[in-house]
Amino acid sequence: MLSILKNRFEQGYRTSGYPKTPVCLPARYRGRPELNMDAPVDVIHACADVCPQEAIDPVAKTLDMGRCMFCGDCERIADGRFVRFTQNYEIAVAKKTDLVTKGTLPDLARHAKQHFKKYFGRSLQLRQVSAGGCNACEADLNVLSTPFFDLARFGINFVASPRHADGMVVTGPVSRNMKTALLQTYEAIPEPKVVIAAGCCALSGGPFQGSPEITEGLDRLLPVDLFIPGCPPHPMTHLHALLSFFK
């Protein structure tokens, strides 16, 4: 016990003050994209052509964050004249259609279904399911349990059994081999329950789009309540999404 107290005294208080204290991410972080509607047509088409995910519609001048891997190629090739990634990590949405953006997003807290707040406002237990992911999204979800983020202080925890959960967070493109296990996990969660899709693979199939071995979007299988884009989504993106939507 003395060793624990000594260690605590030496290290000090490490937990983030978020949401009371804003968190500024490093300049290299690529968050919410901003699109310049006045960019030259050739620049817009160049950005669309270089996108490995075909996330940019050069005619509508939109970017689909559900498909975007935030690689930054569109920003680099045009020096940010059409697409510029900001440090804003608040990019989760309640409706998939809102992922197709020109740079603005609706207020997530205003779009949260109020009965979610009523049922889960004080305690939210989630089962995380990796449906064929590369472990990047899974790793950043695990980070939420570290002292800096300390997700449990908000009454949100990850649990081992779906029968103890209020909902599930799904990562990965939902491979054919994981489809049955995913559906069985969903069925095991008692009502009322929520479904959260995290990462571009769960949202659209990610770089595996077009493969017959995956499901191109979790919403094709289950009713999704919260969409968290990114490759992988930053832990702050997860934290903002969960607190805005459920608290």
Side-chain angles (χ1 to χ4, degrees):
M1 177 60 72
L2 291 176
S3 297
I4 294 175
L5 293 174
K6 180 176 179 292
N7 187 48
R8 178 69 174 83
F9 177 77
E10 291 175 348
Q11 292 195 12
Y13 187 77
R14 297 296 183 91
T15 304
S16 165
Y18 183 85
K20 293 183 178 179
T21 304
V23 174
C24 295
L25 299 183
R28 63 184 297 179
Y29 168 73
R30 287 189 285 270
R32 181 186 297 185
E34 289 184 349
L35 276 62
N36 177 17
M37 296 296 105
D38 297 323
V41 174
D42 60 324
V43 170
I44 297 175
H45 279 272
C47 291
D49 292 341
V50 79
C51 180
Q53 295 296 103
E54 299 180 349
I56 297 176
D57 185 336
V59 178
K61 298 182 182 179
T62 59
L63 185 149
D64 187 347
M65 291 197 304
R67 300 172 69 94
C68 180
M69 295 178 63
F70 294 79
C71 65
D73 283 352
C74 55
E75 182 178 33
R76 284 190 292 268
I77 195 174
D79 295 323
R81 286 183 291 168
F82 176 54
V83 181
R84 185 180 72 86
F85 290 95
T86 70
Q87 292 173 273
N88 189 342
Y89 49 80
E90 300 178 354
I91 55 177
V93 298
K95 296 180 180 179
K96 192 172 185 179
T97 53
D98 291 333
L99 290 169
V100 180
T101 179
K102 294 186 177 182
T104 58
L105 294 175
D107 184 352
L108 181 60
R110 292 180 178 273
H111 283 70
K113 297 177 181 178
Q114 292 304 310
H115 65 275
F116 285 166
K117 294 181 181 289
K118 176 183 177 181
Y119 290 136
F120 309 125
R122 299 187 63 181
S123 175
L124 179 66
Q125 312 302 309
L126 297 171
R127 176 68 169 95
Q128 198 272 316
V129 179
S130 176
C134 68
N135 202 43
C137 292
E138 295 82 350
D140 276 359
L141 280 169
N142 289 339
V143 167
L144 293 175
S145 298
T146 60
F148 180 79
F149 297 101
D150 193 13
L151 187 64
R153 64 189 160 125
F154 301 109
I156 305 175
N157 296 281
F158 290 100
V159 295
S161 171
R163 300 190 187 282
H164 301 159
D166 301 310
M168 64 180 184
V169 182
V170 181
T171 56
V174 190
S175 65
R176 181 188 299 180
N177 291 338
M178 278 299 299
K179 181 178 178 180
T180 299
L182 174 68
L183 295 177
Q184 289 176 343
T185 301
Y186 176 78
E187 291 299 326
I189 300 173
E191 296 283 354
K193 52 191 169 186
V194 296
V195 178
I196 302 170
C200 70
C201 285
L203 269 58
S204 66
F208 309 102
Q209 292 173 32
S211 170
E213 298 299 321
I214 62 122
T215 301
E216 295 189 350
L218 178 64
D219 58 312
R220 296 191 179 188
L221 294 176
L222 299 172
V224 178
D225 302 293
L226 182 60
F227 299 86
I228 307 178
C231 187
H234 193 278
M236 286 304 304
T237 301
H238 287 299
L239 190 56
H240 166 262
L242 293 174
L243 296 184
S244 298
F245 200 68
F246 296 106
K247 295 298 179 178

